[in-house]
Amino acid sequence: MNPPPALKPLRRPWLWLGLWGLALAAVLVGSLLPAPELPQLPHGADKLEHFGGYGLLAAFAVQLFATRAALLRAGLGLVALGIALEFAQGWCTSSRMPDAWDALANAAGVAAGLATALTPWRDALLRLQRRGA
């Protein structure tokens, strides 16, 4: 089965897409877990967690997708996911509430992760695969 044309020429594209999908699923589950089941963080530290998590998801997208259009779609999708999960916390859980600052931290993380496309790190996964060949 051929990978989508927007992907970089990775040796195992479906493996990498699957890992990215698992990371997205982990964010989804973690965002909707009841608050008592989550570790307690110092005040404000959750914003760093949001920024870092979405930053890693976006940086992973940079490793996967070859075109600007695909990266733009991935970035907008991640921002939309972050906003939707904030609403879902209010609608679908009784122990969590939506937080606009969390959504902003998510979006800032996405921007930072996508910014790795402007660095030499943008092709780290391709270089790693070439070394292993």
Side-chain angles (χ1 to χ4, degrees):
M1 185 161 33
N2 291 331
L7 286 179
K8 290 182 178 179
L10 299 167
R11 197 173 319 139
R12 293 181 185 88
W14 297 109
L15 169 69
W16 298 112
L17 276 173
L19 289 173
W20 191 53
L22 284 174
L24 289 166
V27 166
L28 184 103
V29 169
S31 295
L32 297 176
L33 280 174
E37 294 184 28
L38 298 171
Q40 292 301 312
L41 298 173
H43 181 69
D46 69 311
K47 305 308 179 256
L48 291 174
E49 188 177 51
H50 283 264
F51 178 88
Y54 280 81
L56 287 172
L57 286 171
F60 199 157
V62 168
Q63 296 303 309
L64 294 175
F65 299 110
T67 66
R68 285 184 183 168
L71 282 175
L72 179 63
R73 284 191 301 271
L76 291 174
L78 288 171
V79 170
L81 175 68
I83 293 169
L85 286 173
E86 287 304 316
F87 281 112
Q89 286 177 350
W91 293 333
C92 302
T93 70
S94 59
S95 61
R96 309 223 12 212
M97 57 194 319
D99 184 347
W101 292 109
D102 285 350
L104 185 61
N106 297 342
V110 170
L114 290 179
T116 64
L118 304 173
T119 73
W121 286 95
R122 71 183 164 271
D123 292 323
L125 186 56
L126 286 171
R127 285 193 298 275
L128 180 69
Q129 287 189 139
R130 283 188 207 121
R131 269 194 258 167

